[in-house]
Amino acid sequence: MCGIVGIVGRSNVNQSIYDALTVLQHRGQDAAGIVTCDGDRLFMRKDNGMVRDVFRTRHMRRMIGHMGIGHVRYPTAGSASSAEAQPFYVNSPYGITLAHNGNLTNSESLAEDIYRADLRHINTNSDSEVLLNVFAHELQSLGKLLPQPQDIFEAVRRVHRRVEGAYAVVAMITGYGILAFRDPHGVRPVCFGRRETPNGPEYMVASESVALSGLGFHLERDLAPGEALYISAEGELFTQQCADNPQLNPCIFEHVYLARPDSIMDGISVYKARLRMGEKLADKILREWPDHDIDVVIPIPDTSRTSALELANRLDVKYREGFIKNRYIGRTFIMPGQQQRKKSVRQKLNAIELEFSGKNVLLVDDSIVRGTTCNEIIQMARDCGAAKVYFASAAPAVTHPNVYGIDMPAASELIAHGRSVEEICRIIGADRLIYQDLDDLVDACREGNADISRFECSVFDGQYVAGHIDAAYLGDLERSRSDAVQRSNDMERLAALAENEVIDLHNAE
Ligand SMILES: O=P(O)(O)OC[C@H]1O[C@H](OP(=O)(O)OP(=O)(O)O)[C@H](O)[C@@H]1O
Ligand SMILES: NC(=O)CC[C@H](N)C(=O)O
Ligand SMILES: [Mg+2]
């Protein structure tokens, strides 16, 4: 998951894009980028780091123009190199820049085709650069000097036929307008909104509605799966369905962890979905453990707060904030590398001893993925003198890798892969472990929008809705992107950079 944003405005959009990226920062902390368009000139700034660190006043001043796009990155393909920060740019046709949230599952074979058949050069290992080149090739092959909305939609239609996997995209065609499109399964989210100004309406596209509301845009709606939207530089809006057989299968993990609770996604309030997760988990506890001896429910901040609160209400047990989060440390799950994630849990969360001492505590988290957080937290609760430490997860056991834009590429890194609940409970050192049932999680989300017939739940059930995902694909992914491999790639890259041996194609300071 990354965050994407695009704005066609009536005055300079640089500050609004910056502000929107800060609202979407929870979707990617590794790199950030903005490109604006003034007439036929582009102004781009991108680099590794958080939004507040990447953009300085001197950059902001130079990024003029009434339309632009932005991105916050959490890498799921290629490396964490600054050369893979987004947006990406190709000069032909027209000059196109693109930002992508998701992950292509056929990017290797596409990269080969792009080179051999389309005669295009790809400079990084990023699947997003591949996606941009496929789109650019398809638009170029229409051979129009002045592209019309119908041409742009035709190019998207052809992209859908070639590309597999998950992709929510915003792209800018220099001098012409901004385009957004969503893959035919609608796995990753993207919505758009409108803001009135004395000079006419402005439009914004974003990964989450919270970016729209934060900037005074009114949420119009989510893009449908397979749909494309085009806003001309003059502010005219066009939409078209570009997929042959679209089906809405949104990623359920957005509701569990990725999205902000104050977002509305595909008609579902993420906040209310999380409240319902808490209710259903409480019902399971009451069903399976009616004589429980829980004294207090304690959330693991931040994401589990909403479900833990409702769980405590339903159990009629006290809810207490037993862990305080250092607000200056980001989300640990989306940090690259296990060592960094482990160190950060202790730096990030500190316990209030009196909430634990002599009590039977139920710790609640939204999910358990690698087990980094719960391992540390349970030990901290014991160090504070808890009598019993029970643990509940508002999501079912994460047993399978993700291939659609969440960095969980290796089954062997998942604590629940191939293990029973009892084994996991023993490993994390809890006195009892309770997971949400998958049917209950799906119901908790679907109650917000009964029209969604299927969610993308592959991390829980191993059913992959898009692309051709088989054991061979997952084996290759594990070999190429496991933590150990990424660590050694990053070390090599840093060593080469230190010796000034690497020349990346990206903007200067
Ligand atoms: O089992 P793990 O591999 O540790 O992953 C799961 C944990 O990671 C996330 O927290 P994170 O700190 O990223 O963000 P948050 O502050 O939004 O909860 C998530 O909320 C869980 O607490
Ligand atoms: N998390 C994402 O959406 C990542 C987008 C893209 N696959 C990248 O690695 O840059
Ligand atoms: Mg957490």
Side-chain angles (χ1 to χ4, degrees), residues 212-231:
L212 304 176
S213 45
L215 274 86
F217 282 78
H218 169 76
L219 171 67
E220 295 277 313
R221 61 179 174 83
D222 297 84
L223 260 72
E227 189 184 26
L229 163 153
Y230 177 67
I231 309 148

Side-chain angles (χ1 to χ4, degrees), residues 222-250:
D222 297 84
L223 260 72
E227 189 184 26
L229 163 153
Y230 177 67
I231 309 148
S232 70
E234 293 70 40
E236 253 193 297
L237 180 104
F238 306 86
T239 59
Q240 193 167 104
Q241 177 53 256
C242 298
D244 296 332
N245 187 18
Q247 290 159 4
L248 183 56
N249 304 140

Side-chain angles (χ1 to χ4, degrees), residues 10 30 49 97 195 229-230 328 340 342 360 389 450:
R10 302 283 168 178
D30 259 48
T97 44
R195 174 168 81 179
L229 163 153
Y230 177 67
Y328 301 104
Q340 196 182 344
K342 209 168 159 183
N360 297 336
V389 184

Side-chain angles (χ1 to χ4, degrees), residues 454-488:
R454 181 176 178 185
F455 286 88
E456 199 294 305
C457 297
S458 56
V459 297
F460 304 119
D461 64 8
Q463 306 286 314
Y464 296 91
V465 296
H468 297 92
I469 309 302
D470 53 16
Y473 179 91
L474 294 175
D476 285 347
L477 184 68
E478 173 141 8
R479 276 184 292 280
S480 63
R481 284 200 60 80
S482 68
D483 262 333
V485 174
Q486 283 189 58
R487 203 167 46 243
S488 87

Side-chain angles (χ1 to χ4, degrees), residues 1-4 27-28 71-79 84-86 88 99-104 125-129 166 168 188 404-407 481:
M1 62 157 191
C2 297
I4 58 171
R27 299 185 68 84
H71 188 259
V72 282
R73 182 172 190 232
Y74 157 66
T76 57
S79 72
E84 293 181 21
Q86 304 192 30
F88 277 103
H100 162 222
N101 170 211
N103 196 57
L104 307 190
N125 293 321
S126 164
D127 58 327
S128 312
E129 191 185 5
R188 300 258 72 90
Y404 302 128
I406 311 174
D407 195 28
R481 284 200 60 80

